Amino acid sequence: MEIDTDRIDEVVLGLLWLTLHDDRRAWKGHDWDVMNRLYERGMIYDPVNKAKSVVLTDEGLAKAEELFRALFAKSDEKAG
């Protein structure tokens, strides 16, 4: 089976929005390969540190909310 890593990355970025705290920090308990790809794409700052959370960039924060709404909101709430 071939895995679509772009779709996996989108789902993880959407889930990062779910766990946001302190404006733009999210728990980083996701696969390290995914976190590294999100870092390389400029969605998050370097996840390699001792913190249990990662910081989303401006672009990452906006994209994370967009993906969360598209992937997880009920149909009447997606437009909001």
Side-chain angles (χ1 to χ4, degrees), residues 69-80:
R69 290 180 184 280
L71 294 167
F72 304 115
K74 293 187 178 185
S75 60
D76 60 335
E77 298 172 1
K78 288 183 180 182

Side-chain angles (χ1 to χ4, degrees), residues 3-38:
I3 296 173
D4 185 344
T5 56
D6 289 337
R7 290 192 65 183
I8 300 261
D9 296 352
E10 288 178 350
V11 169
V12 170
L13 188 57
L15 288 173
L16 288 175
W17 193 80
L18 177 67
T19 63
L20 278 178
H21 61 94
D22 297 336
D23 295 323
R24 60 181 51 239
R25 295 190 78 85
W27 300 116
K28 64 178 180 184
H30 298 281
D31 180 76
W32 279 106
D33 290 335
V34 175
M35 300 302 280
N36 286 329
R37 287 192 302 268
L38 291 175

